[in-house]
Structures are given as structure tokens and as C-alpha cells.
Amino acid sequence: MNAPQRALAAALSTAALLVGLVACGGSDSGDSASPSSSAAAGQADDDAQAAEGGAQAEGEEGGDVVETPLTGEAKEKAEAAALAAFPSTVIKSEEDAENPGTYAVEIRKADGGEVEVYLDPKTYEVLKTKDEVGDDD
């Protein structure tokens, strides 16, 4: 193959690659000609965040925050620390979204009331508590 033929073959290969990228939505031109690809990319980002866990807002209008439940050793230690402060029954334990960097354990007290115990995730010390009177969670 001589030089002109190699140049032509390279140009055709490059053109075919570009056509393939544009057809697959691989262009980053910023125009809105392919809203379905950007919607799919947004959905993929949402799925990745959900798969990773962590707190995230539901809906786009700022709905309720979803808090990640505690598991394993963190769950055991957090619940034990909360029960030491308020002996009764654990309702749930989670990473708290309202107070980032804390664990929250919700306890049903013997009198039927509920209290949320906020803990330091490193030391499991009680940082604060919140009486849950009238709070419909």
C-alpha cells in the first residue's frame, strides 16, 4: 500500500470512528440534540449514588431524606451505647442526614415515648438527644 492509499485508509477509519461516536451520543458538544442520552446519564448517576448508599434526597422538589441504616459492628456499638443511656427498645439506627457525621439511634422508651440518641461514630459517645414527641417518622 502506497502513502496516498494509507492516508485515505486512515481518513476513512477516523471518519467511521467519529460517525460511531456521534451515533452513540459520545459527542460532548453541549447541544441538546440527544436528550435521551443525557437523561440516561443522569439516571446512571442516580443509580450509582443509590448503590453506594449514603443519604440522598427523594424527588427533585426536596422531599424526605433517606438515611443509611447502620449495619455490622457500627450498628451493634451504636445501639449498645444508646441503650446504655435509655434502656428500652431500639426502633432503628442509621447515619444521620440532619446532623452529618453522626449516628442516630431511635429508642422506644418504657413509657411509650420515643427519643433519638445522636452518637459520635468514632467514640460512640452520646452527643445529644431529641425527644420525638409528636414526630411522625
Side-chain angles (χ1 to χ4, degrees):
M1 194 182 279
N2 62 27
Q5 288 174 328
R6 279 193 298 254
L8 180 60
L12 288 174
S13 296
T14 302
L17 179 61
L18 289 174
V19 167
L21 285 173
V22 170
C24 292
S27 173
D28 193 18
S29 63
D31 68 22
S32 59
S34 60
S36 62
S37 8
S38 56
Q43 180 63 40
D45 289 345
D46 291 345
D47 292 347
Q49 287 177 348
E52 290 173 4
Q56 67 182 24
E58 289 180 354
E60 293 184 15
E61 286 86 40
D64 291 336
V65 174
V66 177
E67 295 171 318
T68 304
L70 296 179
T71 60
E73 186 178 357
K75 176 182 173 82
E76 291 172 17
K77 287 183 176 184
E79 290 179 359
L83 288 171
F86 293 92
S88 199
T89 305
V90 172
I91 297 172
K92 63 182 175 180
S93 53
E94 59 204 5
E95 293 178 24
D96 193 58
E98 294 172 6
N99 301 289
T102 62
Y103 290 161
V105 179
E106 195 168 326
I107 303 283
R108 178 166 289 119
K109 299 185 289 186
D111 67 4
E114 295 178 5
V115 64
E116 192 149 7
V117 181
Y118 299 95
L119 304 161
D120 180 308
K122 294 178 182 153
T123 64
Y124 295 94
E125 290 182 40
V126 175
L127 300 173
K128 67 179 182 176
T129 60
K130 178 177 139 185
D131 199 12
E132 295 289 314
V133 175
D135 188 12
D136 293 332
D137 230 355

mmCIF file of all heavy atoms in Angstrom, residues 17-52:
data_model
loop_
_atom_site.group_PDB
_atom_site.id
_atom_site.type_symbol
_atom_site.label_atom_id
_atom_site.label_comp_id
_atom_site.label_asym_id
_atom_site.label_seq_id
_atom_site.Cartn_x
_atom_site.Cartn_y
_atom_site.Cartn_z
ATOM 1 N N LEU A 17 -15.008 6.233 12.885
ATOM 2 C CA LEU A 17 -14.975 6.347 14.336
ATOM 3 C C LEU A 17 -15.811 7.536 14.809
ATOM 4 O O LEU A 17 -16.607 7.425 15.747
ATOM 5 C CB LEU A 17 -13.530 6.484 14.823
ATOM 6 C CG LEU A 17 -13.343 6.634 16.330
ATOM 7 C CD1 LEU A 17 -13.869 5.412 17.063
ATOM 8 C CD2 LEU A 17 -11.883 6.843 16.653
ATOM 9 N N LEU A 18 -15.668 8.673 14.156
ATOM 10 C CA LEU A 18 -16.435 9.864 14.531
ATOM 11 C C LEU A 18 -17.933 9.657 14.334
ATOM 12 O O LEU A 18 -18.743 10.063 15.168
ATOM 13 C CB LEU A 18 -15.960 11.076 13.733
ATOM 14 C CG LEU A 18 -14.566 11.606 14.122
ATOM 15 C CD1 LEU A 18 -14.134 12.707 13.179
ATOM 16 C CD2 LEU A 18 -14.570 12.096 15.552
ATOM 17 N N VAL A 19 -18.309 9.031 13.228
ATOM 18 C CA VAL A 19 -19.724 8.755 12.977
ATOM 19 C C VAL A 19 -20.262 7.832 14.066
ATOM 20 O O VAL A 19 -21.355 8.039 14.597
ATOM 21 C CB VAL A 19 -19.925 8.141 11.567
ATOM 22 C CG1 VAL A 19 -21.335 7.569 11.421
ATOM 23 C CG2 VAL A 19 -19.661 9.183 10.503
ATOM 24 N N GLY A 20 -19.478 6.839 14.446
ATOM 25 C CA GLY A 20 -19.900 5.918 15.509
ATOM 26 C C GLY A 20 -20.066 6.625 16.845
ATOM 27 O O GLY A 20 -21.023 6.378 17.578
ATOM 28 N N LEU A 21 -19.141 7.517 17.172
ATOM 29 C CA LEU A 21 -19.243 8.260 18.432
ATOM 30 C C LEU A 21 -20.472 9.157 18.466
ATOM 31 O O LEU A 21 -21.186 9.226 19.463
ATOM 32 C CB LEU A 21 -17.988 9.105 18.659
ATOM 33 C CG LEU A 21 -16.740 8.347 19.102
ATOM 34 C CD1 LEU A 21 -15.539 9.274 19.118
ATOM 35 C CD2 LEU A 21 -16.964 7.733 20.465
ATOM 36 N N VAL A 22 -20.726 9.856 17.384
ATOM 37 C CA VAL A 22 -21.884 10.745 17.322
ATOM 38 C C VAL A 22 -23.167 9.923 17.409
ATOM 39 O O VAL A 22 -24.106 10.285 18.120
ATOM 40 C CB VAL A 22 -21.854 11.610 16.053
ATOM 41 C CG1 VAL A 22 -23.164 12.346 15.860
ATOM 42 C CG2 VAL A 22 -20.690 12.591 16.115
ATOM 43 N N ALA A 23 -23.222 8.805 16.716
ATOM 44 C CA ALA A 23 -24.413 7.962 16.732
ATOM 45 C C ALA A 23 -24.675 7.388 18.119
ATOM 46 O O ALA A 23 -25.825 7.192 18.510
ATOM 47 C CB ALA A 23 -24.262 6.828 15.720
ATOM 48 N N CYS A 24 -23.633 7.160 18.893
ATOM 49 C CA CYS A 24 -23.782 6.602 20.245
ATOM 50 C C CYS A 24 -23.926 7.684 21.298
ATOM 51 O O CYS A 24 -23.972 7.391 22.484
ATOM 52 C CB CYS A 24 -22.568 5.728 20.587
ATOM 53 S SG CYS A 24 -22.490 4.236 19.590
ATOM 54 N N GLY A 25 -23.931 8.944 20.918
ATOM 55 C CA GLY A 25 -24.068 10.020 21.890
ATOM 56 C C GLY A 25 -22.758 10.334 22.578
ATOM 57 O O GLY A 25 -22.749 10.890 23.654
ATOM 58 N N GLY A 26 -21.644 9.967 22.000
ATOM 59 C CA GLY A 26 -20.343 10.187 22.616
ATOM 60 C C GLY A 26 -19.815 11.585 22.415
ATOM 61 O O GLY A 26 -18.782 11.941 22.929
ATOM 62 N N SER A 27 -20.507 12.408 21.676
ATOM 63 C CA SER A 27 -20.070 13.775 21.445
ATOM 64 C C SER A 27 -20.353 14.608 22.676
ATOM 65 O O SER A 27 -21.391 14.500 23.297
ATOM 66 C CB SER A 27 -20.828 14.358 20.249
ATOM 67 O OG SER A 27 -20.531 15.729 20.130
ATOM 68 N N ASP A 28 -19.426 15.467 23.047
ATOM 69 C CA ASP A 28 -19.601 16.348 24.198
ATOM 70 C C ASP A 28 -19.720 17.779 23.703
ATOM 71 O O ASP A 28 -19.075 18.672 24.196
ATOM 72 C CB ASP A 28 -18.422 16.186 25.159
ATOM 73 C CG ASP A 28 -18.704 16.826 26.510
ATOM 74 O OD1 ASP A 28 -19.878 17.077 26.811
ATOM 75 O OD2 ASP A 28 -17.734 17.066 27.257
ATOM 76 N N SER A 29 -20.583 17.971 22.696
ATOM 77 C CA SER A 29 -20.702 19.284 22.086
ATOM 78 C C SER A 29 -21.533 20.238 22.918
ATOM 79 O O SER A 29 -21.522 21.430 22.687
ATOM 80 C CB SER A 29 -21.308 19.157 20.689
ATOM 81 O OG SER A 29 -22.618 18.645 20.793
ATOM 82 N N GLY A 30 -22.279 19.719 23.877
ATOM 83 C CA GLY A 30 -23.073 20.583 24.734
ATOM 84 C C GLY A 30 -24.425 20.942 24.158
ATOM 85 O O GLY A 30 -25.202 21.603 24.805
ATOM 86 N N ASP A 31 -24.745 20.540 22.910
ATOM 87 C CA ASP A 31 -26.071 20.854 22.403
ATOM 88 C C ASP A 31 -27.068 19.839 22.954
ATOM 89 O O ASP A 31 -26.708 18.820 23.473
ATOM 90 C CB ASP A 31 -26.105 20.929 20.864
ATOM 91 C CG ASP A 31 -25.893 19.594 20.178
ATOM 92 O OD1 ASP A 31 -26.121 18.554 20.810
ATOM 93 O OD2 ASP A 31 -25.506 19.596 18.989
ATOM 94 N N SER A 32 -28.327 20.146 22.824
ATOM 95 C CA SER A 32 -29.345 19.283 23.412
ATOM 96 C C SER A 32 -30.000 18.394 22.364
ATOM 97 O O SER A 32 -31.164 18.069 22.476
ATOM 98 C CB SER A 32 -30.393 20.137 24.122
ATOM 99 O OG SER A 32 -30.986 21.023 23.185
ATOM 100 N N ALA A 33 -29.249 17.993 21.353
ATOM 101 C CA ALA A 33 -29.816 17.174 20.286
ATOM 102 C C ALA A 33 -30.129 15.768 20.773
ATOM 103 O O ALA A 33 -30.913 15.073 20.165
ATOM 104 C CB ALA A 33 -28.865 17.119 19.101
ATOM 105 N N SER A 34 -29.515 15.328 21.864
ATOM 106 C CA SER A 34 -29.768 13.968 22.330
ATOM 107 C C SER A 34 -30.176 13.969 23.806
ATOM 108 O O SER A 34 -29.426 13.564 24.656
ATOM 109 C CB SER A 34 -28.536 13.094 22.128
ATOM 110 O OG SER A 34 -27.441 13.629 22.844
ATOM 111 N N PRO A 35 -31.403 14.433 24.109
ATOM 112 C CA PRO A 35 -31.838 14.485 25.493
ATOM 113 C C PRO A 35 -31.950 13.109 26.123
ATOM 114 O O PRO A 35 -31.784 12.965 27.310
ATOM 115 C CB PRO A 35 -33.204 15.172 25.430
ATOM 116 C CG PRO A 35 -33.672 14.979 24.038
ATOM 117 C CD PRO A 35 -32.435 14.895 23.198
ATOM 118 N N SER A 36 -32.215 12.070 25.316
ATOM 119 C CA SER A 36 -32.340 10.749 25.904
ATOM 120 C C SER A 36 -31.008 10.264 26.460
ATOM 121 O O SER A 36 -30.958 9.599 27.460
ATOM 122 C CB SER A 36 -32.894 9.757 24.888
ATOM 123 O OG SER A 36 -32.003 9.641 23.796
ATOM 124 N N SER A 37 -29.867 10.629 25.821
ATOM 125 C CA SER A 37 -28.596 10.191 26.372
ATOM 126 C C SER A 37 -28.280 10.927 27.659
ATOM 127 O O SER A 37 -27.758 10.360 28.577
ATOM 128 C CB SER A 37 -27.435 10.323 25.424
ATOM 129 O OG SER A 37 -27.703 10.986 24.268
ATOM 130 N N SER A 38 -28.603 12.226 27.733
ATOM 131 C CA SER A 38 -28.322 12.939 28.968
ATOM 132 C C SER A 38 -29.258 12.476 30.067
ATOM 133 O O SER A 38 -28.877 12.398 31.222
ATOM 134 C CB SER A 38 -28.393 14.454 28.771
ATOM 135 O OG SER A 38 -29.647 14.817 28.244
ATOM 136 N N ALA A 39 -30.491 12.112 29.720
ATOM 137 C CA ALA A 39 -31.400 11.578 30.733
ATOM 138 C C ALA A 39 -30.898 10.228 31.220
ATOM 139 O O ALA A 39 -30.934 9.929 32.405
ATOM 140 C CB ALA A 39 -32.808 11.439 30.163
ATOM 141 N N ALA A 40 -30.392 9.414 30.294
ATOM 142 C CA ALA A 40 -29.853 8.115 30.683
ATOM 143 C C ALA A 40 -28.616 8.296 31.555
ATOM 144 O O ALA A 40 -28.414 7.577 32.523
ATOM 145 C CB ALA A 40 -29.516 7.287 29.447
ATOM 146 N N ALA A 41 -27.787 9.280 31.220
ATOM 147 C CA ALA A 41 -26.593 9.534 32.034
ATOM 148 C C ALA A 41 -26.995 10.000 33.420
ATOM 149 O O ALA A 41 -26.414 9.585 34.415
ATOM 150 C CB ALA A 41 -25.709 10.580 31.360
ATOM 151 N N GLY A 42 -28.014 10.845 33.523
ATOM 152 C CA GLY A 42 -28.496 11.294 34.821
ATOM 153 C C GLY A 42 -29.041 10.139 35.638
ATOM 154 O O GLY A 42 -28.806 10.040 36.829
ATOM 155 N N GLN A 43 -29.775 9.236 34.975
ATOM 156 C CA GLN A 43 -30.306 8.068 35.666
ATOM 157 C C GLN A 43 -29.174 7.180 36.137
ATOM 158 O O GLN A 43 -29.213 6.650 37.235
ATOM 159 C CB GLN A 43 -31.253 7.287 34.742
ATOM 160 C CG GLN A 43 -31.852 6.060 35.396
ATOM 161 C CD GLN A 43 -32.729 6.391 36.582
ATOM 162 O OE1 GLN A 43 -33.485 7.351 36.558
ATOM 163 N NE2 GLN A 43 -32.633 5.619 37.637
ATOM 164 N N ALA A 44 -28.122 7.024 35.333
ATOM 165 C CA ALA A 44 -26.978 6.206 35.727
ATOM 166 C C ALA A 44 -26.298 6.806 36.949
ATOM 167 O O ALA A 44 -25.902 6.087 37.858
ATOM 168 C CB ALA A 44 -25.993 6.075 34.570
ATOM 169 N N ASP A 45 -26.175 8.155 36.992
ATOM 170 C CA ASP A 45 -25.583 8.807 38.166
ATOM 171 C C ASP A 45 -26.430 8.563 39.400
ATOM 172 O O ASP A 45 -25.920 8.286 40.472
ATOM 173 C CB ASP A 45 -25.436 10.316 37.926
ATOM 174 C CG ASP A 45 -24.354 10.650 36.917
ATOM 175 O OD1 ASP A 45 -23.522 9.767 36.614
ATOM 176 O OD2 ASP A 45 -24.344 11.801 36.424
ATOM 177 N N ASP A 46 -27.770 8.673 39.262
ATOM 178 C CA ASP A 46 -28.662 8.435 40.389
ATOM 179 C C ASP A 46 -28.541 6.999 40.880
ATOM 180 O O ASP A 46 -28.508 6.745 42.078
ATOM 181 C CB ASP A 46 -30.120 8.702 40.004
ATOM 182 C CG ASP A 46 -30.393 10.186 39.770
ATOM 183 O OD1 ASP A 46 -29.558 11.025 40.174
ATOM 184 O OD2 ASP A 46 -31.441 10.491 39.167
ATOM 185 N N ASP A 47 -28.479 6.040 39.942
ATOM 186 C CA ASP A 47 -28.340 4.645 40.314
ATOM 187 C C ASP A 47 -27.030 4.399 41.040
ATOM 188 O O ASP A 47 -26.976 3.653 42.011
ATOM 189 C CB ASP A 47 -28.411 3.735 39.073
ATOM 190 C CG ASP A 47 -29.808 3.734 38.455
ATOM 191 O OD1 ASP A 47 -30.765 4.213 39.102
ATOM 192 O OD2 ASP A 47 -29.925 3.258 37.304
ATOM 193 N N ALA A 48 -25.952 5.046 40.581
ATOM 194 C CA ALA A 48 -24.651 4.868 41.228
ATOM 195 C C ALA A 48 -24.687 5.406 42.647
ATOM 196 O O ALA A 48 -24.172 4.780 43.566
ATOM 197 C CB ALA A 48 -23.558 5.577 40.424
ATOM 198 N N GLN A 49 -25.328 6.553 42.867
ATOM 199 C CA GLN A 49 -25.433 7.108 44.216
ATOM 200 C C GLN A 49 -26.253 6.188 45.105
ATOM 201 O O GLN A 49 -25.912 5.964 46.252
ATOM 202 C CB GLN A 49 -26.071 8.491 44.184
ATOM 203 C CG GLN A 49 -25.158 9.550 43.645
ATOM 204 C CD GLN A 49 -25.859 10.901 43.566
ATOM 205 O OE1 GLN A 49 -27.065 11.007 43.711
ATOM 206 N NE2 GLN A 49 -25.074 11.932 43.328
ATOM 207 N N ALA A 50 -27.342 5.649 44.583
ATOM 208 C CA ALA A 50 -28.173 4.767 45.382
ATOM 209 C C ALA A 50 -27.425 3.488 45.727
ATOM 210 O O ALA A 50 -27.538 2.971 46.831
ATOM 211 C CB ALA A 50 -29.459 4.432 44.628
ATOM 212 N N ALA A 51 -26.631 2.982 44.784
ATOM 213 C CA ALA A 51 -25.876 1.769 45.039
ATOM 214 C C ALA A 51 -24.790 1.990 46.081
ATOM 215 O O ALA A 51 -24.465 1.107 46.849
ATOM 216 C CB ALA A 51 -25.249 1.247 43.742
ATOM 217 N N GLU A 52 -24.227 3.186 46.134
ATOM 218 C CA GLU A 52 -23.190 3.477 47.104
ATOM 219 C C GLU A 52 -23.756 3.649 48.498
ATOM 220 O O GLU A 52 -23.045 3.569 49.473
ATOM 221 C CB GLU A 52 -22.463 4.777 46.715
ATOM 222 C CG GLU A 52 -21.607 4.639 45.491
ATOM 223 C CD GLU A 52 -21.048 5.974 45.040
ATOM 224 O OE1 GLU A 52 -21.277 6.992 45.734
ATOM 225 O OE2 GLU A 52 -20.381 6.006 44.009
#
